[in-house]
């Protein structure tokens, strides 16, 4: 069994590898942000001239809102009225399932190939 | 002749690897430090972030998510304890994956860990800035610039980590204990035990505003109650007795967190309307404000600060160990695999990750940073069932002595896999594009690793455990 001897990586190559990794990492978070795709936004409009009653708040709730610094209903109106939109398309869901499963399948397949080399060299080469 | 040359080269490779590991990490930690590392990272989840689960589905949805996430993390702690009590090396799950599944999986797991912890560290720093801004506003100093405080928090903790692990985790132990005690004090002080209680559960807790879909959606931030407990394994190479201290510290940690999470939920939903709680930046501090006690307000302010610092501290510790372990194995440039000759810490990895944490802490919104961290954590949890199933298959119980054997295998693994699927769906409901962007990132870096980076990695030298050959190979 021939033992694998890796090539020596140049300093420039090492810096380049780290730079690529960093670029991809920052891109993964910031690209969805820049494109405006990231995050679930709250939807819903505040009613005109809201009152605590029209916002569905009971006296205890009003007391707590006051304690938190919201002394009138209009100040809290936006927080109370906004809701998440959980509608989704089945196709998007299927795409996500395929991507997740495909990702793990890819990793397990490549890992297995690499792992066999490791085990062969570690145990079968001795 | 050729075989002789191969043997000689092999001996040189082994000698080189041994020489690079000569200055190793110090074995100075006990079970209490392991507990502090795990709980210290996570406890901040009770002080901020978990409450977004209330916004996602209402108060009851957050409680259901809290308990299901607790179940998920109990499975994580059980599985992790068994594998880690056997694989006692820096890198935690990364090192497990390297020995059990293969190099590419290990590389991915290493990145999950680094990003989960670095993003969590960034989220903590954002919260430090927010808390100081809130306190400044309450004392009449509106419009405080949060950025210097964010930078200072990260730099100070990185310096502490640079100087040595014992001091770092002893610091974490003390401030985590204070932060945990603050939650207990808030619960007891606001309970009816001492007369009139400010709790108003009957009037404040409403039905599920989004129905059962909201319960599923709440699982996204339900993970935040416990995210990071698996980080205890990163200390494997620095604890005096890994087989005893790691399972003990990890399981004690998850029990502590289950108690803290339930108390936190109960106090907060009894004091705040769910619409406010679901968007609050510092919910426990707000709960203390509503208690009407200045003493509690100061205590929970300090608790919030300590929890965020303990968490960021543990995150720097864990992320740097994972990065260091990957450097040592040449998965990343070997330069990162160095240990400080005096302080015996992975100092280059610690310093390198500082600007990355700053980029995210100063440039991205809190919920996005939290989601990035949760996604990386979730990918780690999805790997764990695969890991334990393959571990038991390749090395059945009678082949390797384990410090801890988790019961009912494979039920915890299957339960964990199902709960991960639910969590993926929950993230998809609000942050589907981020999920796909992140998986695309991992697919691209996996191809990069397999086809480019892996050529610089020694093969047999990656397998460092004194185990027999795995079955089936």
């Amino acid at each position: 069994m021939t033992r694998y001897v890796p090539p020596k990586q140049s300093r420039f190559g090492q810096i380049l590898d780290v730079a690529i990794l960093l670029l991809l990492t920052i891109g993964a978070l910031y690209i969805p942000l820049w494109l405006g795709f990231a995050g679930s936004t709250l939807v819903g409009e505040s009613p005109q001239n809201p009152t605590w009653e029209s916002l569905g708040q009971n006296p205890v709730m009003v007391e707590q809102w006051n304690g938190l610094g919201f002394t009138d209903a209009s100040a809290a109106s936006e927080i109370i009225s906004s809701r998440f939109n959980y509608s989704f398309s089945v196709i998007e869901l299927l795409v996500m399932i395929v991507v997740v499963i495909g990702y793990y399948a890819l990793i397990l397949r490549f890992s297995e190939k690499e792992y066999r080399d490791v085990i062969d060299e570690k145990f079968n080469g001795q | 002749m050729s075989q002789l040359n191969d043997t000689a080269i092999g001996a040189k490779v082994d000698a080189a690897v041994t020489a690079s590991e000569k200055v190793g990490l110090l074995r100075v930690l006990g079970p209490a430090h392991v507990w502090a590392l795990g709980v210290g990272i996570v406890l901040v989840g009770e002080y901020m972030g978990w409450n977004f689960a209330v916004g996602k589905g209402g108060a009851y949805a957050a409680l259901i998510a809290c308990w299901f996430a607790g179940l998920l993390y109990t499975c994580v702690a059980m599985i992790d304890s068994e594998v880690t009590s056997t694989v006692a090396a820096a890198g935690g799950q990364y090192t497990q994956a390297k020995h059990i599944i293969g190099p590419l999986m290990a590389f991915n797991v290493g990145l999950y860990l680094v990003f989960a912890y670095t993003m969590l560290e960034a989220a903590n720093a954002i919260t430090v800035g927010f808390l100081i801004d809130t306190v400044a506003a309450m004392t009449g100093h509106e419009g405080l610039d949060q950025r210097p405080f964010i930078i200072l928090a990260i730099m100070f903790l990185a310096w502490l980590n640079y100087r040595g692990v014992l001091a770092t985790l002893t610091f974490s132990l003390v401030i985590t204990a204070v932060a945990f005690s603050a939650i207990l004090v808030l619960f007891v002080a606001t309970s009816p035990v001492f007369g009139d209680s400010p709790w108003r559960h009957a009037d404040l807790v409403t039905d599920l505003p989004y129905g059962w879909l909201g319960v599923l959606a709440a699982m996204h931030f339900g993970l935040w109650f416990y995210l990071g407990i698996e980080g205890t394994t990163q200390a494997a190479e620095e604890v005096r007795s890994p087989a005893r201290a790691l399972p003990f510290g990890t399981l004690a940690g998850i029990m502590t967190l289950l108690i803290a999470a339930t108390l936190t939920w109960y106090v907060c939903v009894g004091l705040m309307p769910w619409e406010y709680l679901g968007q609050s930046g510092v919910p426990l501090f707000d709960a203390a404000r509503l208690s009407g006690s200045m003493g509690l307000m100061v205590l929970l302010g300090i608790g919030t600060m300590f929890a965020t610092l303990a968490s960021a501290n543990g995150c720097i510790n864990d992320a740097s160990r994972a990065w260091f372990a990957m450097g040592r194995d040449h998965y990343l440039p070997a330069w990162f695999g160095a240990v400080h000759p005096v302080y015996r810490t992975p100092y280059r990895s610690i310093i390198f990750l500082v600007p990355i944490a700053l980029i995210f802490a100063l440039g991205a919104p809190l919920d996005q940073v939290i989601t990035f961290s949760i996604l990386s954590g979730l990918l780690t949890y999805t790997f764990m069932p695969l890991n334990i199933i393959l571990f038991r298959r390749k090395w059945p119980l009678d082949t390797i002595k384990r410090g801890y054997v988790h019961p009912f295998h494979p039920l915890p693994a299957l339960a964990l896999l199902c709960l991960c699927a639910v969590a993926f769906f929950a993230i998809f409901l609000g942050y589907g594009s981020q999920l796909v962007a992140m998986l695309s990132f991992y697919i691209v870096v996996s191809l990069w690793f397999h086809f480019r980076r892996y050529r610089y990695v020694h093969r047999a030298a990656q397998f460092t455990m004194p185990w027999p050959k795995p079955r089936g190979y």
Side-chain angles (χ1 to χ4, degrees):
Chain A
M1 172 79 200
T2 307
R3 185 180 278 249
Y4 174 75
V5 181
K8 189 168 166 47
Q9 192 180 23
S10 67
R11 190 174 289 263
F12 173 74
Q14 294 191 31
I15 294 168
L16 186 71
D17 275 0
V18 173
I20 290 171
L21 204 55
L22 272 181
L23 215 64
L24 289 168
T25 310
I26 293 168
L29 178 69
Y30 280 96
I31 288 173
L33 275 177
W34 288 330
L35 296 177
F37 292 150
S40 54
T41 45
L42 289 159
V43 292
E45 284 181 12
S46 310
Q48 294 282 327
N49 305 317
T51 61
W52 290 116
E53 290 74 26
S54 70
L55 292 170
Q57 303 297 296
N58 62 38
V60 172
M61 291 170 178
V62 175
E63 190 186 330
Q64 302 306 87
W65 281 110
N66 290 338
L68 290 162
F70 295 86
T71 46
D72 65 284
S74 57
S77 168
E78 196 181 330
I79 296 176
I80 296 171
S81 309
S82 56
R83 290 286 184 275
F84 287 108
N85 178 10
Y86 289 142
S87 60
F88 63 91
S89 90
V90 177
I91 292 174
E92 282 174 5
L93 180 62
L94 289 175
V95 167
M96 185 203 72
I97 292 169
V98 168
V99 170
V100 172
I101 293 174
Y103 164 68
Y104 278 104
L106 175 92
I107 301 232
L108 290 174
R109 190 180 163 82
F110 283 178
S111 288
E112 177 65 15
K113 188 172 174 294
E114 294 165 350
Y115 190 69
R116 285 196 176 273
D117 289 345
V118 172
I119 299 301
D120 273 349
E121 193 174 300
K122 175 79 182 177
F123 295 99
N124 300 338
Q126 286 174 352
Chain B
M1 183 66 190
S2 158
Q3 204 160 10
L4 274 175
N5 278 344
D6 289 341
T7 314
I9 290 166
K12 277 183 187 170
V13 167
D14 287 342
V17 171
T18 312
S20 72
E21 290 175 4
K22 215 172 200 174
V23 181
L25 302 170
L26 274 180
R27 286 198 179 277
V28 288
L29 305 177
H33 293 104
V34 176
W35 175 88
L37 179 61
V39 177
I41 288 178
V42 187
L43 197 63
V44 69
E46 329 301 340
Y47 278 91
M48 63 93 175
W50 71 272
N51 52 302
F52 295 150
V54 175
K56 284 281 192 173
Y60 284 126
L63 182 64
I64 296 168
C66 165
W67 285 345
F68 271 95
L71 186 62
L72 184 152
Y73 280 91
T74 304
C75 295
V76 164
M78 285 165 70
I79 290 171
D80 227 18
S81 294
E82 173 170 335
V83 186
T84 307
S85 69
T86 321
V87 186
Q93 291 81 8
Y94 155 77
T95 311
Q96 298 172 15
K98 192 178 65 171
H99 287 88
I100 297 167
I101 298 184
L104 181 60
M105 185 83 245
F107 175 70
N108 276 267
V109 171
L111 290 184
Y112 304 157
L113 295 170
V114 170
F115 295 137
Y117 295 126
T118 306
M119 293 306 120
L120 179 48
E121 178 193 341
N124 288 320
I126 293 171
T127 307
V128 168
F130 180 75
L131 180 70
I132 291 173
D133 187 28
T134 304
V135 172
M138 286 168 65
T139 51
H141 300 85
E142 297 277 351
L144 190 78
D145 187 354
Q146 299 178 15
R147 288 172 299 180
F149 298 99
I150 291 173
I151 296 168
L152 191 66
I154 290 177
M155 298 290 279
F156 166 70
L157 295 173
W159 171 78
L160 199 61
N161 272 272
Y162 182 97
R163 289 297 300 262
V165 70
L166 185 61
T168 301
L169 292 191
T170 303
F171 174 70
S172 268
L173 180 62
V174 173
I175 61 178
T176 301
V178 172
F180 180 62
S181 304
I183 295 176
L184 295 179
V185 170
L186 176 70
F187 180 80
V188 173
T190 54
S191 71
V193 173
F194 298 110
D196 276 352
S197 166
W199 293 346
R200 300 286 181 269
H201 290 94
D203 296 300
L204 292 176
V205 179
T206 62
D207 290 337
L208 296 169
Y210 296 97
W212 286 97
L213 194 59
V215 176
L216 283 177
M219 265 300 276
H220 176 179
F221 290 106
L223 298 185
W224 199 246
F225 274 114
Y226 315 94
L227 189 100
I229 184 67
E230 70 281 1
T232 51
T233 60
Q234 297 297 329
E237 218 167 299
E238 290 158 282
V239 287
R240 290 187 295 271
S241 170
R244 188 178 71 89
L246 289 172
F248 181 80
T250 307
L251 293 171
I254 192 75
M255 288 175 209
T256 308
L257 292 169
L258 279 164
I259 294 167
T262 308
L263 295 186
T264 299
W265 177 88
Y266 194 77
V267 171
C268 288
V269 302
L271 287 169
M272 280 170 265
W274 76 270
E275 296 96 333
Y276 178 85
L277 179 58
Q279 297 182 39
S280 169
V282 279
L284 274 173
F285 181 64
D286 285 335
R289 280 169 62 198
L290 285 169
S291 73
S293 158
M294 179 56 84
L296 279 178
M297 211 164 84
V298 171
L299 179 65
L300 269 292
I302 291 170
T304 306
M305 181 67 77
F306 279 9
T308 49
L309 291 177
S311 179
N313 200 29
C315 286
I316 294 171
N317 180 85
D318 285 357
S320 62
R321 266 61 181 176
W323 196 259
F324 156 79
M326 288 201 286
R328 191 169 60 178
D329 290 331
H330 294 212
Y331 284 24
L332 295 171
W335 188 79
F336 292 113
V339 173
H340 195 283
V342 177
Y343 304 126
R344 310 281 288 275
T345 50
Y347 66 114
R348 288 177 185 162
S349 299
I350 291 169
I351 294 169
F352 178 76
L353 293 172
V354 167
I356 299 176
L358 286 173
I359 286 171
F360 288 97
L362 296 172
L366 181 61
D367 69 323
Q368 304 294 324
V369 173
I370 288 179
T371 298
F372 208 83
S373 180
I374 287 174
L375 266 172
S376 295
L378 185 56
L379 290 169
T380 311
Y381 311 142
T382 310
F383 139 81
M384 285 180 178
L386 309 174
N387 193 42
I388 188 70
I389 288 168
L390 288 173
F391 184 50
R392 289 278 184 109
R393 191 181 294 167
K394 292 179 181 178
W395 291 278
L397 292 179
D398 57 344
T399 56
I400 302 178
K401 190 177 182 307
R402 280 121 159 119
Y404 167 81
V405 178
H406 84 273
F408 311 121
H409 177 78
L411 277 182
L414 297 176
L416 179 54
L417 210 52
C418 293
L419 289 165
C420 285
V422 172
F424 271 118
F425 179 69
I427 294 175
F428 164 77
L429 281 177
Y431 296 79
S433 59
Q434 256 192 319
L435 176 61
V436 172
M438 195 154 178
L439 284 173
S440 306
F441 159 76
Y442 280 114
I443 289 170
V444 171
V445 292
S446 294
L447 295 173
W448 170 79
F449 177 82
H450 183 76
F451 291 109
R452 175 180 156 74
R453 183 71 217 169
Y454 191 57
R455 79 180 70 158
Y456 299 109
V457 180
H458 297 287
R459 301 304 195 244
Q462 296 172 70
F463 200 101
T464 51
M465 290 296 132
W467 294 350
K469 191 161 94 168
R471 287 200 179 161
Y473 287 83

